[in-house]
Amino acid sequence: RKEVEQDPGPFNVPEGATVAFNCTYSNSASQSFFWYRQDCRKEPKLLMSVYSSGNEDGRFTAQLNRASQYISLLIRDSKLSDSATYLCVVYTGGFKTIFGAGTRLFVKA
Amino acid sequence: GAVVSQHPSWVICKSGTSVKIECRSLDFQATTMFWYRQFPKQSLMLMATSNEGSKATYEQGVEKDKFLINHASLTLSTLTVTSAHPEDSSFYICSAPGTPIYEQYFGPGTRLTVT
């Protein structure tokens, strides 16, 4: 079992749609959780951190369920510019950070 | 925010040759840097942790004699792919930890193609 698993997609959605990504992690001792965005042939960029209480940044909402070891990202009112790969990232302590393989999103006009 | 640069951004080399990739922290000092490799449609896989002034720590399955890492200063780490083969073709990305430690500043990556 992979340490961080994501649905690879791709998700093809029209502009304005709401889309949700899921991620599960295997290490129950994991400490911090993040969503990164990676554009084609570019480095990953931090989108947002994920907390048990949930957090929202504009059209993006992230949620963590520690009991189920599950992380989610919700994107509302999708824009063309949201097209990218979204990486679920788990920090397990020390210098150890595990990246999911990513979920590809295509937003179409 | 902190900036990490990589050079070159892309390189094509012939099988059997060696390629050096540089990773620089431009506006901060980095005693530790990370080297990742990413194959198409796959996740970033940590190859090694580079430590200034000491030997790098390699992840299981990564050949230390093939992927030579040198962290000679607080702002520069290099990865040399020795005797490159087509299967080494990949996207190589470096990063440096920030504050807090789990925040990483990524370089723009180097796309290596071995023919």
Side-chain angles (χ1 to χ4, degrees):
Chain A
R1 182 186 173 189
K2 293 181 182 176
E3 292 186 79
V4 177
E5 293 207 60
Q6 294 183 248
D7 181 344
F11 285 62
N12 294 287
V13 303
E15 270 187 296
T18 295
V19 61
F21 302 141
N22 302 321
C23 169
T24 58
Y25 60 95
S26 61
N27 187 342
S28 59
S30 297
Q31 300 180 15
S32 304
F33 309 88
F34 311 90
W35 284 101
Y36 277 70
R37 171 193 169 127
Q38 186 175 24
D39 292 291
C40 189
R41 298 174 183 260
K42 301 284 188 182
E43 76 275 22
K45 294 188 177 177
L46 179 64
L47 182 65
M48 58 198 307
S49 302
V50 190
Y51 308 112
S52 297
S53 56
N55 52 311
E56 188 173 311
D57 183 2
R59 298 180 293 107
F60 299 83
T61 300
Q63 192 76 46
L64 165 66
N65 185 321
R66 282 191 181 270
S68 302
Q69 296 181 201
Y70 169 91
I71 305 161
S72 65
L73 175 68
L74 184 75
I75 304 176
R76 291 181 299 279
D77 189 23
S78 299
K79 310 292 184 189
L80 294 175
S81 57
D82 293 334
S83 297
T85 297
Y86 291 83
L87 307 175
C88 175
V89 181
V90 174
Y91 172 69
T92 59
F95 281 132
K96 194 163 176 64
T97 300
I98 310 297
F99 288 80
T103 298
R104 300 183 74 189
L105 172 66
F106 294 100
V107 181
K108 300 184 177 181
Chain B
V3 178
V4 174
S5 71
Q6 268 184 256
H7 177 80
S9 55
W10 60 271
V11 58
I12 301 173
C13 71
K14 291 186 177 180
S15 188
T17 61
S18 295
V19 174
K20 179 186 283 189
I21 302 170
E22 294 184 348
C23 177
R24 293 182 186 273
S25 55
L26 296 184
D27 52 359
F28 67 104
Q29 294 182 332
T31 55
T32 299
M33 287 184 175
F34 306 110
W35 285 97
Y36 293 87
R37 180 168 54 184
Q38 185 178 33
F39 292 107
K41 299 184 180 181
Q42 295 187 26
S43 61
L44 273 72
M45 296 300 296
L46 181 65
M47 299 175 67
T49 302
S50 168
N51 304 297
E52 187 269 334
S54 64
K55 290 182 179 179
T57 304
Y58 289 81
E59 295 299 302
Q60 191 173 13
V62 178
E63 299 174 58
K64 58 182 67 176
D65 294 331
K66 179 171 180 63
F67 299 98
L68 301 179
I69 291 174
N70 188 341
H71 196 148
S73 78
L74 289 171
T75 59
L76 174 65
S77 175
T78 61
L79 168 68
T80 301
V81 182
T82 62
S83 186
H85 290 286
E87 56 265 31
D88 298 323
S89 299
S90 187
F91 191 48
Y92 292 85
I93 308 177
C94 69
S95 73
T99 303
I101 196 172
Y102 50 72
E103 245 189 74
Q104 293 192 42
Y105 303 115
F106 285 93
T110 296
R111 188 157 300 279
L112 170 64
T113 301
V114 184
T115 60

mmCIF file of all heavy atoms in Angstrom, chain A residues 34-76:
data_model
loop_
_atom_site.group_PDB
_atom_site.id
_atom_site.type_symbol
_atom_site.label_atom_id
_atom_site.label_comp_id
_atom_site.label_asym_id
_atom_site.label_seq_id
_atom_site.Cartn_x
_atom_site.Cartn_y
_atom_site.Cartn_z
ATOM 1 N N PHE A 34 -0.866 18.824 3.601
ATOM 2 C CA PHE A 34 -0.895 19.962 2.687
ATOM 3 C C PHE A 34 -1.462 19.541 1.337
ATOM 4 O O PHE A 34 -1.397 18.379 0.950
ATOM 5 C CB PHE A 34 0.528 20.495 2.449
ATOM 6 C CG PHE A 34 1.303 20.708 3.715
ATOM 7 C CD1 PHE A 34 2.083 19.694 4.248
ATOM 8 C CD2 PHE A 34 1.245 21.916 4.383
ATOM 9 C CE1 PHE A 34 2.781 19.875 5.420
ATOM 10 C CE2 PHE A 34 1.948 22.108 5.553
ATOM 11 C CZ PHE A 34 2.714 21.090 6.071
ATOM 12 N N TRP A 35 -1.945 20.503 0.615
ATOM 13 C CA TRP A 35 -2.227 20.346 -0.805
ATOM 14 C C TRP A 35 -1.276 21.262 -1.568
ATOM 15 O O TRP A 35 -1.138 22.452 -1.242
ATOM 16 C CB TRP A 35 -3.672 20.721 -1.132
ATOM 17 C CG TRP A 35 -4.654 19.674 -0.725
ATOM 18 C CD1 TRP A 35 -5.447 19.666 0.379
ATOM 19 C CD2 TRP A 35 -4.956 18.462 -1.441
ATOM 20 N NE1 TRP A 35 -6.215 18.536 0.419
ATOM 21 C CE2 TRP A 35 -5.940 17.776 -0.692
ATOM 22 C CE3 TRP A 35 -4.507 17.894 -2.634
ATOM 23 C CZ2 TRP A 35 -6.473 16.543 -1.100
ATOM 24 C CZ3 TRP A 35 -5.038 16.686 -3.031
ATOM 25 C CH2 TRP A 35 -6.017 16.021 -2.266
ATOM 26 N N TYR A 36 -0.622 20.681 -2.562
ATOM 27 C CA TYR A 36 0.225 21.438 -3.466
ATOM 28 C C TYR A 36 -0.399 21.399 -4.856
ATOM 29 O O TYR A 36 -1.118 20.462 -5.210
ATOM 30 C CB TYR A 36 1.633 20.818 -3.561
ATOM 31 C CG TYR A 36 2.598 21.217 -2.467
ATOM 32 C CD1 TYR A 36 2.425 20.770 -1.156
ATOM 33 C CD2 TYR A 36 3.693 22.024 -2.750
ATOM 34 C CE1 TYR A 36 3.327 21.128 -0.156
ATOM 35 C CE2 TYR A 36 4.605 22.377 -1.767
ATOM 36 C CZ TYR A 36 4.408 21.926 -0.473
ATOM 37 O OH TYR A 36 5.301 22.276 0.504
ATOM 38 N N ARG A 37 -0.057 22.386 -5.625
ATOM 39 C CA ARG A 37 -0.480 22.426 -7.019
ATOM 40 C C ARG A 37 0.779 22.319 -7.879
ATOM 41 O O ARG A 37 1.798 22.973 -7.595
ATOM 42 C CB ARG A 37 -1.196 23.752 -7.282
ATOM 43 C CG ARG A 37 -1.480 24.007 -8.747
ATOM 44 C CD ARG A 37 -1.903 25.434 -9.007
ATOM 45 N NE ARG A 37 -1.914 25.663 -10.437
ATOM 46 C CZ ARG A 37 -2.949 26.152 -11.103
ATOM 47 N NH1 ARG A 37 -4.061 26.507 -10.459
ATOM 48 N NH2 ARG A 37 -2.884 26.309 -12.411
ATOM 49 N N GLN A 38 0.700 21.492 -8.926
ATOM 50 C CA GLN A 38 1.843 21.379 -9.832
ATOM 51 C C GLN A 38 1.348 21.535 -11.269
ATOM 52 O O GLN A 38 0.509 20.759 -11.736
ATOM 53 C CB GLN A 38 2.575 20.040 -9.662
ATOM 54 C CG GLN A 38 3.843 19.957 -10.492
ATOM 55 C CD GLN A 38 4.631 18.677 -10.242
ATOM 56 O OE1 GLN A 38 4.093 17.664 -9.815
ATOM 57 N NE2 GLN A 38 5.938 18.731 -10.499
ATOM 58 N N ASP A 39 1.868 22.531 -11.926
ATOM 59 C CA ASP A 39 1.579 22.715 -13.344
ATOM 60 C C ASP A 39 2.559 21.874 -14.160
ATOM 61 O O ASP A 39 3.640 21.510 -13.674
ATOM 62 C CB ASP A 39 1.673 24.190 -13.715
ATOM 63 C CG ASP A 39 0.557 24.987 -13.065
ATOM 64 O OD1 ASP A 39 -0.599 24.801 -13.462
ATOM 65 O OD2 ASP A 39 0.833 25.775 -12.136
ATOM 66 N N CYS A 40 2.179 21.599 -15.387
ATOM 67 C CA CYS A 40 2.985 20.713 -16.232
ATOM 68 C C CYS A 40 4.425 21.202 -16.343
ATOM 69 O O CYS A 40 4.675 22.364 -16.656
ATOM 70 C CB CYS A 40 2.330 20.622 -17.604
ATOM 71 S SG CYS A 40 3.057 19.374 -18.665
ATOM 72 N N ARG A 41 5.345 20.306 -16.041
ATOM 73 C CA ARG A 41 6.780 20.585 -16.174
ATOM 74 C C ARG A 41 7.258 21.723 -15.266
ATOM 75 O O ARG A 41 8.223 22.425 -15.580
ATOM 76 C CB ARG A 41 7.148 20.894 -17.614
ATOM 77 C CG ARG A 41 6.870 19.722 -18.555
ATOM 78 C CD ARG A 41 7.108 20.110 -20.001
ATOM 79 N NE ARG A 41 6.783 19.002 -20.906
ATOM 80 C CZ ARG A 41 7.684 18.196 -21.433
ATOM 81 N NH1 ARG A 41 8.948 18.367 -21.163
ATOM 82 N NH2 ARG A 41 7.315 17.229 -22.244
ATOM 83 N N LYS A 42 6.552 21.909 -14.154
ATOM 84 C CA LYS A 42 6.946 22.936 -13.194
ATOM 85 C C LYS A 42 7.106 22.309 -11.809
ATOM 86 O O LYS A 42 6.688 21.167 -11.579
ATOM 87 C CB LYS A 42 5.865 24.030 -13.112
ATOM 88 C CG LYS A 42 5.590 24.730 -14.421
ATOM 89 C CD LYS A 42 6.672 25.712 -14.750
ATOM 90 C CE LYS A 42 6.294 26.546 -15.965
ATOM 91 N NZ LYS A 42 7.366 27.495 -16.335
ATOM 92 N N GLU A 43 7.673 23.083 -10.902
ATOM 93 C CA GLU A 43 7.809 22.601 -9.539
ATOM 94 C C GLU A 43 6.484 22.705 -8.795
ATOM 95 O O GLU A 43 5.636 23.532 -9.134
ATOM 96 C CB GLU A 43 8.902 23.389 -8.798
ATOM 97 C CG GLU A 43 8.511 24.782 -8.344
ATOM 98 C CD GLU A 43 8.681 25.827 -9.416
ATOM 99 O OE1 GLU A 43 8.692 25.481 -10.621
ATOM 100 O OE2 GLU A 43 8.795 27.009 -9.057
ATOM 101 N N PRO A 44 6.283 21.903 -7.749
ATOM 102 C CA PRO A 44 5.056 22.015 -6.951
ATOM 103 C C PRO A 44 5.031 23.328 -6.181
ATOM 104 O O PRO A 44 6.076 23.823 -5.757
ATOM 105 C CB PRO A 44 5.164 20.839 -5.970
ATOM 106 C CG PRO A 44 6.269 19.984 -6.470
ATOM 107 C CD PRO A 44 7.164 20.844 -7.257
ATOM 108 N N LYS A 45 3.839 23.843 -5.984
ATOM 109 C CA LYS A 45 3.682 25.076 -5.191
ATOM 110 C C LYS A 45 2.607 24.848 -4.147
ATOM 111 O O LYS A 45 1.555 24.281 -4.438
ATOM 112 C CB LYS A 45 3.334 26.252 -6.097
ATOM 113 C CG LYS A 45 4.468 26.602 -7.050
ATOM 114 C CD LYS A 45 4.219 27.877 -7.808
ATOM 115 C CE LYS A 45 5.430 28.196 -8.683
ATOM 116 N NZ LYS A 45 5.246 29.389 -9.524
ATOM 117 N N LEU A 46 2.897 25.298 -2.940
ATOM 118 C CA LEU A 46 1.967 25.106 -1.836
ATOM 119 C C LEU A 46 0.659 25.825 -2.112
ATOM 120 O O LEU A 46 0.630 27.026 -2.376
ATOM 121 C CB LEU A 46 2.588 25.616 -0.531
ATOM 122 C CG LEU A 46 1.719 25.493 0.709
ATOM 123 C CD1 LEU A 46 1.437 24.024 1.028
ATOM 124 C CD2 LEU A 46 2.388 26.167 1.897
ATOM 125 N N LEU A 47 -0.439 25.059 -2.028
ATOM 126 C CA LEU A 47 -1.771 25.628 -2.191
ATOM 127 C C LEU A 47 -2.344 25.996 -0.835
ATOM 128 O O LEU A 47 -2.768 27.121 -0.608
ATOM 129 C CB LEU A 47 -2.668 24.621 -2.910
ATOM 130 C CG LEU A 47 -4.094 25.050 -3.213
ATOM 131 C CD1 LEU A 47 -4.114 26.209 -4.189
ATOM 132 C CD2 LEU A 47 -4.901 23.876 -3.761
ATOM 133 N N MET A 48 -2.353 25.030 0.058
ATOM 134 C CA MET A 48 -2.843 25.302 1.400
ATOM 135 C C MET A 48 -2.508 24.174 2.363
ATOM 136 O O MET A 48 -2.293 23.036 1.949
ATOM 137 C CB MET A 48 -4.349 25.543 1.413
ATOM 138 C CG MET A 48 -5.201 24.429 0.862
ATOM 139 S SD MET A 48 -6.875 24.950 0.419
ATOM 140 C CE MET A 48 -7.453 25.749 1.911
ATOM 141 N N SER A 49 -2.448 24.530 3.630
ATOM 142 C CA SER A 49 -2.290 23.526 4.672
ATOM 143 C C SER A 49 -3.672 22.957 5.004
ATOM 144 O O SER A 49 -4.697 23.563 4.689
ATOM 145 C CB SER A 49 -1.673 24.150 5.919
ATOM 146 O OG SER A 49 -0.427 24.726 5.619
ATOM 147 N N VAL A 50 -3.683 21.810 5.654
ATOM 148 C CA VAL A 50 -4.946 21.139 5.965
ATOM 149 C C VAL A 50 -5.035 20.902 7.454
ATOM 150 O O VAL A 50 -4.104 20.337 8.043
ATOM 151 C CB VAL A 50 -5.051 19.781 5.236
ATOM 152 C CG1 VAL A 50 -6.460 19.216 5.385
ATOM 153 C CG2 VAL A 50 -4.688 19.922 3.774
ATOM 154 N N TYR A 51 -6.134 21.308 8.065
ATOM 155 C CA TYR A 51 -6.325 21.155 9.502
ATOM 156 C C TYR A 51 -7.605 20.365 9.782
ATOM 157 O O TYR A 51 -8.516 20.337 8.968
ATOM 158 C CB TYR A 51 -6.417 22.525 10.177
ATOM 159 C CG TYR A 51 -5.272 23.448 9.841
ATOM 160 C CD1 TYR A 51 -5.473 24.591 9.073
ATOM 161 C CD2 TYR A 51 -3.976 23.164 10.278
ATOM 162 C CE1 TYR A 51 -4.424 25.425 8.756
ATOM 163 C CE2 TYR A 51 -2.925 24.001 9.958
ATOM 164 C CZ TYR A 51 -3.156 25.130 9.194
ATOM 165 O OH TYR A 51 -2.107 25.962 8.879
ATOM 166 N N SER A 52 -7.633 19.764 10.972
ATOM 167 C CA SER A 52 -8.813 18.978 11.354
ATOM 168 C C SER A 52 -10.072 19.839 11.398
ATOM 169 O O SER A 52 -11.173 19.365 11.131
ATOM 170 C CB SER A 52 -8.585 18.320 12.715
ATOM 171 O OG SER A 52 -7.524 17.414 12.663
ATOM 172 N N SER A 53 -9.883 21.086 11.726
ATOM 173 C CA SER A 53 -11.032 21.988 11.822
ATOM 174 C C SER A 53 -11.489 22.447 10.447
ATOM 175 O O SER A 53 -12.518 23.110 10.313
ATOM 176 C CB SER A 53 -10.656 23.199 12.673
ATOM 177 O OG SER A 53 -9.509 23.839 12.139
ATOM 178 N N GLY A 54 -10.722 22.082 9.434
ATOM 179 C CA GLY A 54 -11.044 22.520 8.078
ATOM 180 C C GLY A 54 -10.560 23.936 7.852
ATOM 181 O O GLY A 54 -10.523 24.749 8.781
ATOM 182 N N ASN A 55 -10.149 24.222 6.659
ATOM 183 C CA ASN A 55 -9.767 25.594 6.365
ATOM 184 C C ASN A 55 -10.143 25.948 4.942
ATOM 185 O O ASN A 55 -10.230 25.086 4.068
ATOM 186 C CB ASN A 55 -8.271 25.837 6.633
ATOM 187 C CG ASN A 55 -7.371 24.839 5.967
ATOM 188 O OD1 ASN A 55 -7.601 23.644 6.080
ATOM 189 N ND2 ASN A 55 -6.360 25.314 5.279
ATOM 190 N N GLU A 56 -10.408 27.228 4.781
ATOM 191 C CA GLU A 56 -10.917 27.705 3.509
ATOM 192 C C GLU A 56 -10.060 28.869 3.035
ATOM 193 O O GLU A 56 -9.655 29.720 3.827
ATOM 194 C CB GLU A 56 -12.374 28.160 3.709
ATOM 195 C CG GLU A 56 -13.114 28.522 2.449
ATOM 196 C CD GLU A 56 -14.583 28.806 2.722
ATOM 197 O OE1 GLU A 56 -15.228 27.988 3.411
ATOM 198 O OE2 GLU A 56 -15.065 29.856 2.275
ATOM 199 N N ASP A 57 -9.803 28.882 1.741
ATOM 200 C CA ASP A 57 -9.066 29.993 1.152
ATOM 201 C C ASP A 57 -9.748 30.323 -0.166
ATOM 202 O O ASP A 57 -9.503 29.671 -1.182
ATOM 203 C CB ASP A 57 -7.595 29.591 0.931
ATOM 204 C CG ASP A 57 -6.776 30.747 0.377
ATOM 205 O OD1 ASP A 57 -7.319 31.855 0.190
ATOM 206 O OD2 ASP A 57 -5.575 30.547 0.116
ATOM 207 N N GLY A 58 -10.652 31.286 -0.115
ATOM 208 C CA GLY A 58 -11.390 31.639 -1.319
ATOM 209 C C GLY A 58 -12.263 30.488 -1.783
ATOM 210 O O GLY A 58 -13.109 29.992 -1.049
ATOM 211 N N ARG A 59 -12.002 30.018 -2.980
ATOM 212 C CA ARG A 59 -12.805 28.937 -3.560
ATOM 213 C C ARG A 59 -12.333 27.552 -3.119
ATOM 214 O O ARG A 59 -12.941 26.553 -3.519
ATOM 215 C CB ARG A 59 -12.735 29.031 -5.083
ATOM 216 C CG ARG A 59 -13.308 30.335 -5.648
ATOM 217 C CD ARG A 59 -13.225 30.376 -7.173
ATOM 218 N NE ARG A 59 -11.853 30.449 -7.664
ATOM 219 C CZ ARG A 59 -11.212 29.435 -8.250
ATOM 220 N NH1 ARG A 59 -11.826 28.271 -8.424
ATOM 221 N NH2 ARG A 59 -9.986 29.586 -8.689
ATOM 222 N N PHE A 60 -11.282 27.503 -2.359
ATOM 223 C CA PHE A 60 -10.680 26.229 -1.959
ATOM 224 C C PHE A 60 -10.958 25.926 -0.487
ATOM 225 O O PHE A 60 -10.762 26.781 0.370
ATOM 226 C CB PHE A 60 -9.160 26.274 -2.184
ATOM 227 C CG PHE A 60 -8.771 26.484 -3.621
ATOM 228 C CD1 PHE A 60 -8.737 27.761 -4.162
ATOM 229 C CD2 PHE A 60 -8.453 25.413 -4.425
ATOM 230 C CE1 PHE A 60 -8.394 27.967 -5.500
ATOM 231 C CE2 PHE A 60 -8.094 25.602 -5.751
ATOM 232 C CZ PHE A 60 -8.072 26.881 -6.293
ATOM 233 N N THR A 61 -11.402 24.688 -0.257
ATOM 234 C CA THR A 61 -11.640 24.243 1.116
ATOM 235 C C THR A 61 -10.944 22.911 1.327
ATOM 236 O O THR A 61 -11.103 21.988 0.517
ATOM 237 C CB THR A 61 -13.144 24.072 1.395
ATOM 238 O OG1 THR A 61 -13.811 25.319 1.191
ATOM 239 C CG2 THR A 61 -13.369 23.610 2.832
ATOM 240 N N ALA A 62 -10.161 22.814 2.386
ATOM 241 C CA ALA A 62 -9.455 21.568 2.697
ATOM 242 C C ALA A 62 -9.943 21.030 4.023
ATOM 243 O O ALA A 62 -10.305 21.780 4.925
ATOM 244 C CB ALA A 62 -7.949 21.823 2.748
ATOM 245 N N GLN A 63 -9.955 19.715 4.126
ATOM 246 C CA GLN A 63 -10.446 19.069 5.347
ATOM 247 C C GLN A 63 -9.577 17.869 5.672
ATOM 248 O O GLN A 63 -9.099 17.169 4.769
ATOM 249 C CB GLN A 63 -11.891 18.616 5.141
ATOM 250 C CG GLN A 63 -12.611 18.199 6.395
ATOM 251 C CD GLN A 63 -13.040 19.367 7.257
ATOM 252 O OE1 GLN A 63 -13.584 20.345 6.769
ATOM 253 N NE2 GLN A 63 -12.766 19.267 8.557
ATOM 254 N N LEU A 64 -9.380 17.642 6.958
ATOM 255 C CA LEU A 64 -8.605 16.495 7.430
ATOM 256 C C LEU A 64 -9.466 15.682 8.381
ATOM 257 O O LEU A 64 -10.096 16.233 9.276
ATOM 258 C CB LEU A 64 -7.350 16.985 8.162
ATOM 259 C CG LEU A 64 -6.605 15.978 9.033
ATOM 260 C CD1 LEU A 64 -5.993 14.878 8.180
ATOM 261 C CD2 LEU A 64 -5.528 16.679 9.863
ATOM 262 N N ASN A 65 -9.473 14.379 8.191
ATOM 263 C CA ASN A 65 -10.130 13.459 9.117
ATOM 264 C C ASN A 65 -9.071 12.492 9.613
ATOM 265 O O ASN A 65 -8.709 11.526 8.934
ATOM 266 C CB ASN A 65 -11.257 12.704 8.406
ATOM 267 C CG ASN A 65 -12.046 11.815 9.348
ATOM 268 O OD1 ASN A 65 -11.480 11.182 10.246
ATOM 269 N ND2 ASN A 65 -13.348 11.758 9.174
ATOM 270 N N ARG A 66 -8.560 12.775 10.802
ATOM 271 C CA ARG A 66 -7.457 11.947 11.334
ATOM 272 C C ARG A 66 -7.917 10.524 11.632
ATOM 273 O O ARG A 66 -7.165 9.578 11.445
ATOM 274 C CB ARG A 66 -6.890 12.577 12.605
ATOM 275 C CG ARG A 66 -5.963 13.752 12.342
ATOM 276 C CD ARG A 66 -5.232 14.137 13.616
ATOM 277 N NE ARG A 66 -4.345 15.269 13.431
ATOM 278 C CZ ARG A 66 -3.067 15.156 13.070
ATOM 279 N NH1 ARG A 66 -2.547 13.969 12.847
ATOM 280 N NH2 ARG A 66 -2.324 16.237 12.932
ATOM 281 N N ALA A 67 -9.126 10.366 12.084
ATOM 282 C CA ALA A 67 -9.613 9.019 12.438
ATOM 283 C C ALA A 67 -9.637 8.123 11.200
ATOM 284 O O ALA A 67 -9.282 6.943 11.262
ATOM 285 C CB ALA A 67 -11.001 9.115 13.055
ATOM 286 N N SER A 68 -10.033 8.687 10.078
ATOM 287 C CA SER A 68 -10.100 7.914 8.836
ATOM 288 C C SER A 68 -8.833 8.048 8.002
ATOM 289 O O SER A 68 -8.726 7.413 6.949
ATOM 290 C CB SER A 68 -11.299 8.385 8.000
ATOM 291 O OG SER A 68 -12.500 8.247 8.720
ATOM 292 N N GLN A 69 -7.918 8.895 8.445
ATOM 293 C CA GLN A 69 -6.660 9.140 7.720
ATOM 294 C C GLN A 69 -6.975 9.557 6.291
ATOM 295 O O GLN A 69 -6.489 8.957 5.322
ATOM 296 C CB GLN A 69 -5.746 7.907 7.805
ATOM 297 C CG GLN A 69 -5.315 7.633 9.229
ATOM 298 C CD GLN A 69 -4.402 6.439 9.391
ATOM 299 O OE1 GLN A 69 -4.289 5.890 10.464
ATOM 300 N NE2 GLN A 69 -3.756 6.011 8.347
ATOM 301 N N TYR A 70 -7.763 10.598 6.221
ATOM 302 C CA TYR A 70 -8.344 11.025 4.952
ATOM 303 C C TYR A 70 -8.252 12.549 4.848
ATOM 304 O O TYR A 70 -8.502 13.262 5.814
ATOM 305 C CB TYR A 70 -9.789 10.550 4.959
ATOM 306 C CG TYR A 70 -10.691 11.067 3.883
ATOM 307 C CD1 TYR A 70 -10.834 10.378 2.682
ATOM 308 C CD2 TYR A 70 -11.444 12.212 4.090
ATOM 309 C CE1 TYR A 70 -11.696 10.833 1.714
ATOM 310 C CE2 TYR A 70 -12.310 12.683 3.112
ATOM 311 C CZ TYR A 70 -12.436 11.979 1.932
ATOM 312 O OH TYR A 70 -13.289 12.440 0.968
ATOM 313 N N ILE A 71 -7.876 13.014 3.662
ATOM 314 C CA ILE A 71 -7.754 14.447 3.412
ATOM 315 C C ILE A 71 -8.558 14.769 2.160
ATOM 316 O O ILE A 71 -8.597 13.969 1.225
ATOM 317 C CB ILE A 71 -6.275 14.811 3.169
ATOM 318 C CG1 ILE A 71 -5.401 14.349 4.336
ATOM 319 C CG2 ILE A 71 -6.104 16.307 2.972
ATOM 320 C CD1 ILE A 71 -3.937 14.254 3.964
ATOM 321 N N SER A 72 -9.163 15.920 2.146
ATOM 322 C CA SER A 72 -9.941 16.294 0.968
ATOM 323 C C SER A 72 -9.640 17.728 0.555
ATOM 324 O O SER A 72 -9.177 18.547 1.353
ATOM 325 C CB SER A 72 -11.442 16.132 1.239
ATOM 326 O OG SER A 72 -11.858 17.040 2.249
ATOM 327 N N LEU A 73 -9.905 18.002 -0.704
ATOM 328 C CA LEU A 73 -9.795 19.362 -1.235
ATOM 329 C C LEU A 73 -11.016 19.603 -2.109
ATOM 330 O O LEU A 73 -11.311 18.803 -2.994
ATOM 331 C CB LEU A 73 -8.524 19.528 -2.063
ATOM 332 C CG LEU A 73 -8.359 20.882 -2.764
ATOM 333 C CD1 LEU A 73 -8.147 21.988 -1.730
ATOM 334 C CD2 LEU A 73 -7.194 20.851 -3.750
ATOM 335 N N LEU A 74 -11.703 20.680 -1.839
ATOM 336 C CA LEU A 74 -12.890 21.046 -2.609
ATOM 337 C C LEU A 74 -12.597 22.356 -3.340
ATOM 338 O O LEU A 74 -12.134 23.321 -2.725
ATOM 339 C CB LEU A 74 -14.084 21.227 -1.667
ATOM 340 C CG LEU A 74 -15.430 21.520 -2.321
ATOM 341 C CD1 LEU A 74 -15.984 20.244 -2.935
ATOM 342 C CD2 LEU A 74 -16.425 22.072 -1.295
ATOM 343 N N ILE A 75 -12.868 22.360 -4.625
ATOM 344 C CA ILE A 75 -12.702 23.578 -5.417
ATOM 345 C C ILE A 75 -14.080 23.975 -5.936
ATOM 346 O O ILE A 75 -14.740 23.203 -6.646
ATOM 347 C CB ILE A 75 -11.745 23.372 -6.604
ATOM 348 C CG1 ILE A 75 -10.388 22.847 -6.117
ATOM 349 C CG2 ILE A 75 -11.565 24.675 -7.377
ATOM 350 C CD1 ILE A 75 -9.411 22.521 -7.246
ATOM 351 N N ARG A 76 -14.493 25.159 -5.580
ATOM 352 C CA ARG A 76 -15.791 25.665 -6.039
ATOM 353 C C ARG A 76 -15.587 26.621 -7.197
ATOM 354 O O ARG A 76 -14.532 27.255 -7.329
ATOM 355 C CB ARG A 76 -16.513 26.397 -4.898
ATOM 356 C CG ARG A 76 -16.988 25.505 -3.776
ATOM 357 C CD ARG A 76 -17.715 26.339 -2.695
ATOM 358 N NE ARG A 76 -16.825 27.332 -2.113
ATOM 359 C CZ ARG A 76 -15.945 27.066 -1.151
ATOM 360 N NH1 ARG A 76 -15.853 25.847 -0.659
ATOM 361 N NH2 ARG A 76 -15.174 28.022 -0.671
#
